[in-house]
Amino acid sequence: SIKCKIKSTAIKNSIPLTQEKVNELLDYNEKTGFLFWNQSPKHRHGKIKPGDRAGHIHHKGYRAITINCKEYWEHRIIWLWVHGKFPKDQIDHINRIRDDNRLRNLRESTNAQNQMNSCASRGSKLELKGIQQFGKRFAAYITVNKKTRYLGMYDTAEEAYRMRCKAAKKLHGKFAFG
C-alpha cells in the first residue's frame, strides 16, 4: 500500500495527474460542484468508499483532495476533469466562496485578476475594500498593475465606496469587486 508520510519523496515520485486518471478516480456533479470517489483511494486503507465525497476543507477555506500522496485544490482538479488540463495560472471563484466549485462559478485568472475579485482585507475597520478613514472623511484607493491609485476624499464611506466601485468596473471589467 502507498504511504504519504514523507511528502517530499512522494511528490518527487508522483505521476503527473491527467484527465484520464481524474476521471478514473473521481466523478463530478456539476449541479453541486462536488467530487465523489469512484474507487477507494489506496492511501486511505479502505476508510473511504466509492460514492463518498472527496477531500476536506483546508484551513484556507478551499476544499483539498489528496491523490498519489499529493494535495490538490478541488477547483483545480475540476478544471482538469472538465477541460483536460490544469489552468495556466489560477482559478477565480466568481462569488468569492472558496468551496463553491460549480463550473459556472470558476474561471481562469491571473493572480492580479484574482486579487481584483477579493473582499476587503481582514482587519479592515470599515470592511470596505479600498476605503480608509482619516478623521471624519474617507479616502478611496484602487490598485492597478501593482500600483495604488488615490481616487479622492469623500464625506461618507458610502460615497467613497461608490466611487471606488465605479473605478473598479472601468479598470477591472468582469473581475471587479467593490
Side-chain angles (χ1 to χ4, degrees):
S1 72
I2 299 172
K3 293 186 179 183
C4 294
K5 291 183 180 179
I6 305 172
K7 283 194 174 189
S8 60
T9 305
I11 290 169
K12 285 179 194 172
N13 297 332
S14 67
I15 300 164
L17 197 57
T18 64
Q19 185 182 36
E20 286 126 354
K21 187 66 177 172
V22 168
N23 286 325
E24 178 187 319
L25 294 172
L26 300 161
D27 190 31
Y28 176 55
N29 181 318
E30 288 187 39
K31 287 183 181 179
T32 63
F34 297 171
L35 286 171
F36 298 94
W37 290 109
N38 284 331
Q39 54 188 265
S40 297
K42 291 176 184 152
H43 67 279
R44 297 301 300 215
H45 309 292
K47 292 179 184 176
I48 295 174
K49 307 281 186 250
D52 285 352
R53 182 155 183 213
H56 65 279
I57 298 293
H58 189 273
H59 69 87
K60 292 184 177 182
Y62 297 102
R63 193 159 188 87
I65 299 171
T66 302
I67 299 173
N68 294 335
C69 299
K70 185 174 178 185
E71 194 170 66
Y72 296 89
W73 295 131
E74 182 179 53
H75 53 274
R76 295 182 67 81
I77 293 175
I78 289 168
W79 198 265
L80 173 64
W81 198 92
V82 172
H83 297 287
K85 60 183 178 177
F86 281 111
K88 289 178 188 175
D89 195 354
Q90 295 185 4
I91 296 289
D92 178 45
H93 288 80
I94 296 166
N95 68 5
R96 294 171 307 285
I97 298 172
R98 292 179 174 188
D99 66 339
D100 181 352
N101 293 317
R102 294 169 295 152
L103 191 59
R104 68 176 181 252
N105 188 46
L106 305 177
R107 62 183 169 196
E108 274 192 283
S109 70
T110 63
N111 183 54
Q113 289 169 327
N114 208 344
Q115 294 305 312
M116 291 173 204
N117 188 31
S118 65
C119 299
S121 58
R122 288 182 186 171
S124 171
K125 290 179 184 177
L126 297 172
E127 296 184 9
L128 295 172
K129 186 175 180 177
I131 308 301
Q132 291 183 345
Q133 186 170 4
F134 293 96
K136 293 184 178 184
R137 301 200 71 210
F138 300 86
Y141 300 91
I142 193 164
T143 302
V144 180
N145 298 325
K146 298 182 184 179
K147 293 190 174 145
T148 302
R149 291 186 185 180
Y150 172 70
L151 300 173
M153 288 292 276
Y154 302 90
D155 292 329
T156 66
E158 293 77 16
E159 185 182 7
Y161 188 63
R162 200 169 31 255
M163 296 309 289
R164 195 220 172 267
C165 289
K166 187 176 176 181
K169 284 185 178 122
K170 181 179 177 184
L171 297 166
H172 301 322
K174 69 180 182 178
F175 287 93
F177 174 72

